[in-house]
């Protein structure tokens, strides 16, 4: 049989199993899409960061302004002020190399390029005073230079572009800037003399004197154009000439005329990705080394070299991180592919056993399946890469788990690295799909009949107790997390951030997998117990039959049930982890800033009281004056505002002293603005404010303060409050306890928190003192606009910091977006495959039990009883998977999510974590599987209604 015939046989076998073939293709496409989406996302996300980083780089134009750079701008410079001016003959070799060779070596499309060469400074004199040079003061100091192609980027306001001058010309035409005209008053057509005295320290140096004519006045067309290597203002003191004039007229007349040279090339790096970086870095190194050889001390001052190195490393690390985070999802996909392959092989076991009995070898059987897998793999690779690109775009828009927003699309492009990794994924998936074929290839017709009669052998993982063995690393992982709080990964860069420490996710996933296998082991025993109890308590034959079926032939349901449990438990854990981390981020930012926005404002000091009218400010006999806080509410977008004063405080009790921070608040307005969580105090916020209302001198303290100094609620303490240089001992009465207060971070263990009435403190201090203002705003307000509007009410905002901007910044971090993105798209893919796999498993199971159903109908079971039997069987299976998966996911969430509160910041654990179970997302999953159950039962009813009893019975007799 030739190779073409084998291909045709494989294609025909695939066509005869169209449904399973399509499912296999869907599984491979999913695997390829997930695997390729990770490098595509990391390349695009880090490339975006790379461009932003490069675009943000600025270089001073010799002290005359900053000019932002295009991302892939290169600037070679030779500075004569540092290394000495050179002759044109020394300049020409490096100029030729950079101009003609470097673009080809770098091997990127050139968008724009230019060169700038200038002389040292000359003193400028009118032509009529040429004979008084050295006696009179010059009009100014100028240099002479040329800029390649400058005529295309400037307006000639007066006159014309300078004409080239020959070496024997007495006068050369120059072009000056509009700013220089305004400074000196020179006009087009005027003639001047520029003079450079010989250097006294150099004996062979000579003076240079040149005559010039003002031919034109220029101004830039667009100062932001990528052409400008420096801010155009840096050329204000340059007499610009054509390059021909510089070479033919200035070079012979001046000495060491090249005082500074700049080569500026802007490349298009839109298609540069991680695979291209090593070669590009090597080419940049080669070109730079060659340039410095041709003209020593010529340096590459602007280039993406360092940023490219960082881009390569961060992309590599992020790719590994996302792959590690996605391991559970990828294993689920591979398990689906293996399960589908198992169903294919199961349907063809009789055929395989006949082929083996007729002399076919194991490798021939496996070869046929390998060829079928290769054909499916090619389709999966092509389509999966395209879908992977779309998934990378979706990942870029991820805000949280299964939550997406609208961001600027990432520059995603299919790269060779993504293709290689996708091909590797196809190879792994094909190996997984060949495992059932390898097992079936050992069957003969005799062993096949024996196994078909009754599956006697347990799965290999049960025979070797792999489920129990997996509990060991899972338990050790929990022990390490409980002992150390986190597991470092990839060196120091992995600590301090749950999104940089994937082992924080892998340990829970491993625990889920191990416990899921354990549940599968005991599932038959549980069903056997329920079957016995049901038979004792009820005569419902449908229920008893369903329970007996699940107990005695449980191996048929292992694949579908394990897929259900893993999908539900991972989804529950992932959704709860995302919900907890998101809420923790929001809580941390609001705790850091206290409210939507934190305003630092300046008032009038006592010396400036006469400048503020009584209608505009609160006044006291002493102290500062401020515009009433109610004036903030006149600004559109501000819904509430409150004063909060934060001042150093100390107290002495029984000979020992304690320091801390006193927060003065307005008890009526604070609850409408300030961030406060239930666990910040034993009492509610309303209860705390009522305690402050009972007595103006009431104060809230931490329980730790009470226990350390043996105090109790109702005791009086004297606290020294320091406010802008003023200190006062103020008597307070302890009204209640509070553990946390927004913006309060204790520096040391002996620093305490005090919260009281702000007006009472000002009354005791004898005047109003500076305080901050916290405001609650509409969601879409512009903080800068608020700051400008407040100035209209004589409120001077020195600084404004917002929780929302900080939250958005954190949520848009590439690693956070990537982790939640791959978990979201991975879960959606796993859920779809789980539903598909379960329905397919049910359909195949019905077909394989065709004879059994026929016999049950023949012995007297009605269609209704059969529907009840199979319906309850499916309901039990799905309910068991949902119950076990949800319970396992919730347990693992409560067990492991608290370990995710890690951070490099000193106060990463303030405020403390609150584990949230994402029940709303879990109920959405329930709805999906509810629809799956309805679909399975509907298909089962159709199958039973079309069942022909006599065919099943006769087929059973034949078998």
């Amino acid at each position: 049989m030739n190779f073409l015939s084998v291909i045709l046989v494989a294609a025909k076998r695939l066509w005869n199993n169209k449904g399973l073939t399509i499912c296999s293709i869907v599984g491979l496409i999913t695997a390829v899409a997930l695997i390729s989406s990770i490098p595509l996302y990391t390349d695009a996300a880090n490339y975006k960061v790379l461009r932003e980083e490069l675009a943000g780089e600025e270089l001073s134009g010799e002290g005359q302004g900053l000019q932002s750079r295009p991302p892939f701008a290169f600037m070679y410079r030779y500075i004569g002020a540092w290394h000495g001016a050179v002759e044109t003959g020394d300049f020409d070799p490096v100029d030729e190399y950079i101009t003609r060779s470097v673009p080809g070596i770098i091997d990127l499309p050139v968008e724009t390029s230019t060169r700038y060469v200038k002389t040292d400074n000359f003193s400028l004199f009118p032509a009529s005073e040429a004979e008084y040079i050295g006696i009179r003061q010059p009009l100014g100091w100028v240099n002479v230079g040329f800029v390649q192609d400058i005529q295309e980027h400037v307006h000639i306001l007066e006159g014309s572009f300078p004409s080239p001058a020959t070496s024997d010309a007495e006068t050369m035409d120059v072009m000056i800037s509009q700013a220089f005209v305004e400074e000196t008053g020179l006009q087009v057509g005027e003639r001047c003399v520029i003079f450079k005295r010989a250097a006294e320290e150099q004996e062979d140096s000579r003076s240079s004197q040149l005559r010039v004519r003002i031919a034109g006045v220029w101004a830039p067309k667009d100062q932001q154009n990528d052409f400008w290597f420096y801010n155009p203002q840096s050329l204000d003191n340059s007499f610009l000439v054509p390059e021909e004039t510089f070479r033919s007229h200035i070079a012979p007349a001046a000495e060491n005329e090249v005082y500074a040279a700049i080569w500026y090339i802007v490349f298009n790096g839109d298609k540069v990705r991680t695979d291209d970086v090593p070669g590009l870095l090597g080419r940049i190194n080669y070109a730079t080394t060659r340039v410095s050889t041709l003209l020593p001390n010529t340096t590459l001052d602007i280039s993406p070299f360092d940023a490219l190195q960082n881009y390569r490393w961060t992309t590599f690390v992020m790719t590994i991180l996302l792959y590690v985070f996605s391991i559970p999802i990828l294993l689920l996909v591979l398990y689906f592919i293996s399960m589908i392959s198992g169903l294919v092989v199961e349907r063809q076991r009789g055929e395989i056993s006949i082929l083996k009995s007729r002399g076919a070898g194991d490798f021939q059987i496996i070869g046929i399946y390998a060829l079928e897998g290769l054909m499916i793999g090619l389709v999966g690779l092509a389509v999966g890469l395209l879908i992977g690109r779309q998934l990378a775009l979706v990942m870029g828009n991820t805000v949280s788990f299964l939550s997406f927003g609208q961001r600027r699309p990432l520059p995603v492009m299919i790269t060779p690295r993504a293709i290689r990794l996708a091909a590797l994924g196809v190879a792994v998936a094909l190996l997984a799909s060949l495992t059932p074929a390898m097992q079936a290839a050992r069957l003969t017709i005799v062993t096949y009949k024996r196994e078909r009669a009754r599956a006697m052998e347990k799965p290999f993982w049960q025979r070797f107790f792999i489920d129990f063995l997996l509990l060991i690393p899972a338990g050790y992982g929990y022990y390490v997390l409980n002992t150390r709080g986190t597991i470092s990964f990839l060196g120091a860069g992995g600590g301090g951030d749950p999104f940089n420490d994937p082992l924080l996710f892998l340990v829970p996933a491993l625990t889920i997998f191990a416990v899921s296998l354990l549940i599968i082991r005991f599932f038959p025993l549980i069903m056997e117990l329920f079957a016995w109890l049901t038979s004792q308590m009820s005569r419902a034959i449908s229920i008893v039959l369903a329970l007996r079926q699940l107990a005695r032939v449980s191996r048929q349901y292992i694949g579908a049930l394990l897929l259900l449990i893993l999908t539900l438990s991972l989804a529950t854990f992932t959704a709860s982890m995302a919900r907890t981390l998101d809420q923790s981020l929001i809580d941390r930012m609001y705790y850091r800033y206290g409210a939507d926005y934190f305003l630092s404002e300046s008032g009038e000091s006592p010396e400036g009281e006469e400048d503020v009218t009584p209608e505009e400010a609160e006044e006291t006999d002493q102290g500062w004056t401020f515009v009433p806080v109610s004036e903030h509410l006149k600004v559109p977008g501000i819904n509430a505002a409150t004063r909060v004063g934060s001042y150093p405080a100390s107290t002495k009790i029984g000979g020992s002293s304690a320091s801390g921070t006193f927060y003065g608040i307005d008890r009526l307005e604070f609850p409408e603005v300030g961030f406060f969580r239930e666990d910040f105090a034993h009492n509610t916020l309303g209860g705390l404010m009522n305690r402050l209302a009972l007595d103006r001198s009431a104060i809230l303290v931490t329980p730790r303060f009470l226990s350390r100094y043996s105090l109790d609620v109702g005791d009086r303490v004297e606290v020294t409050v320091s406010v802008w240089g003023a200190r006062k001992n103020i008597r307070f009465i302890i009204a209640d306890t509070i553990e946390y207060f927004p913006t309060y971070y204790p520096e040391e263990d002996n620093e305490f928190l005090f919260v009281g009435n702000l007006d009472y403190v000002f009354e005791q201090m004898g005047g109003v003192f500076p305080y901050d203002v916290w405001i609650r705003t509409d969601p879409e307000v512009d903080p800068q606009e608020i700051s400008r509007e407040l100035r209209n009410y004589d409120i001077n905002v020195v600084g404004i910091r917002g929780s929302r901007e900080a939250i958005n910044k954190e949520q848009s971090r590439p690693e956070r977006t990537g982790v939640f993105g791959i978990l979201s798209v991975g879960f959606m893919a796993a859920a779809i495959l789980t539903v598909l796999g379960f329905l397919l498993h049910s359909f195949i199971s019905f077909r394989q039990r065709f004879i059994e159903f026929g016999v049950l109908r023949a012995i007297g079971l009605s269609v209704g009883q059969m529907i009840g039997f199979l319906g309850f069987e499916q309901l039990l299976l799905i309910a068991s998977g949902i119950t076990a998966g949800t319970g396992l996911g919730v347990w693992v969430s409560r067990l492991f999510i608290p370990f995710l509160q890690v951070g490099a910041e000193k106060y990463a654990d303030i405020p403390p974590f609150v584990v949230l179970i994402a029940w709303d997302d879990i109920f959405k999953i329930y709805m999906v599987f509810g629809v799956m159950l309805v679909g399975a039962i509907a298909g089962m009813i159709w199958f039973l209604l079309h069942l022909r009893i006599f065919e099943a019975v006769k087929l059973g007799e034949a078998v």
Side-chain angles (χ1 to χ4, degrees), residues 143 160 201 449 468 572 621 858 868 874 909 921:
N143 58 72
S160 60
E201 64 274 10
K449 289 290 185 179
F468 287 101
T572 300
D621 294 336
Q874 296 300 309
D909 57 344
D921 290 332

Side-chain angles (χ1 to χ4, degrees), residues 636-827:
I638 298 181
N639 301 320
T642 187
R643 301 177 301 167
V644 178
S646 172
Y647 313 116
S650 61
T651 183
K652 287 187 176 181
I653 301 175
S656 61
S657 61
S659 61
T661 303
F662 176 87
Y663 283 88
I665 62 174
D666 293 325
R667 62 175 183 81
L668 293 177
E669 290 85 8
F670 181 81
E672 299 181 13
V673 181
F675 168 72
F676 200 85
R677 218 168 61 184
E678 292 182 357
D679 59 332
F680 285 4
H682 295 294
N683 204 343
T684 63
L685 179 59
L688 294 175
M689 296 301 102
N690 290 335
R691 293 297 182 90
L692 293 181
L694 292 175
D695 192 318
R696 291 172 58 80
S697 65
I699 192 174
L700 309 176
V701 299
T702 60
R704 188 164 49 90
F705 178 76
L706 295 181
S707 62
R708 175 166 295 188
Y709 297 102
S710 301
L711 297 172
D712 203 350
V713 173
D715 291 344
R716 292 191 175 273
V717 294
E718 188 174 84
V719 179
T720 303
V721 181
S722 302
V723 183
W724 286 78
R727 292 168 58 88
K728 187 69 178 287
N729 295 330
I730 305 175
R731 292 187 63 79
F732 293 96
I733 183 172
I734 300 175
D736 211 329
T737 59
I738 184 171
E739 192 71 45
Y740 298 97
F741 190 84
T743 73
Y744 168 69
Y745 298 96
E747 291 291 335
E748 297 177 5
D749 187 55
N750 63 344
E751 293 193 0
F752 300 100
L753 167 65
F754 308 98
V755 180
N757 290 297
L758 184 62
D759 285 333
Y760 173 72
V761 173
F762 287 164
E763 177 186 311
Q764 297 297 311
M765 298 291 293
V768 177
F769 287 86
Y771 52 80
D772 299 312
V773 176
W774 297 0
I775 59 175
R776 176 169 56 85
T777 66
D778 293 334
E780 303 299 330
V781 297
D782 181 1
Q784 301 306 319
E785 182 63 26
I786 284 180
S787 182
R788 287 191 293 269
E789 287 290 333
L790 286 172
R791 291 192 182 95
N792 296 333
Y793 298 93
D794 296 328
I795 300 174
N796 185 25
V797 179
V798 178
I800 180 168
R801 291 173 290 170
S803 303
R804 291 181 179 135
E805 283 72 16
I807 292 169
N808 292 335
K809 182 179 179 181
E810 284 293 309
Q811 287 182 336
S812 61
R813 286 170 50 203
E815 59 270 31
R816 181 189 182 96
T817 300
V819 168
F820 280 148
I822 192 61
L823 292 178
S824 297
V825 299
F827 165 72

Side-chain angles (χ1 to χ4, degrees), residues 160-220:
S160 60
F161 195 79
S163 301
T166 59
S167 58
D168 56 352
E170 293 185 0
T171 304
M172 63 177 178
D173 288 348
V174 300
M175 179 172 63
I176 60 177
S177 68
Q178 183 181 17
F180 193 75
V181 169
E182 295 171 354
E183 179 185 347
T184 62
L186 291 176
Q187 301 294 325
V188 171
E190 283 195 51
R191 297 177 183 272
C192 301
V193 174
I194 56 176
F195 176 77
K196 183 176 182 298
R197 189 180 302 277
E200 295 180 359
E201 64 274 10
Q202 297 180 6
E203 296 181 0
D204 57 346
S205 177
R206 66 179 189 274
S207 299
S208 301
Q209 180 172 313
L210 299 169
R211 294 182 175 273
V212 301
R213 184 182 74 87
I214 310 302
V217 178
W218 66 275

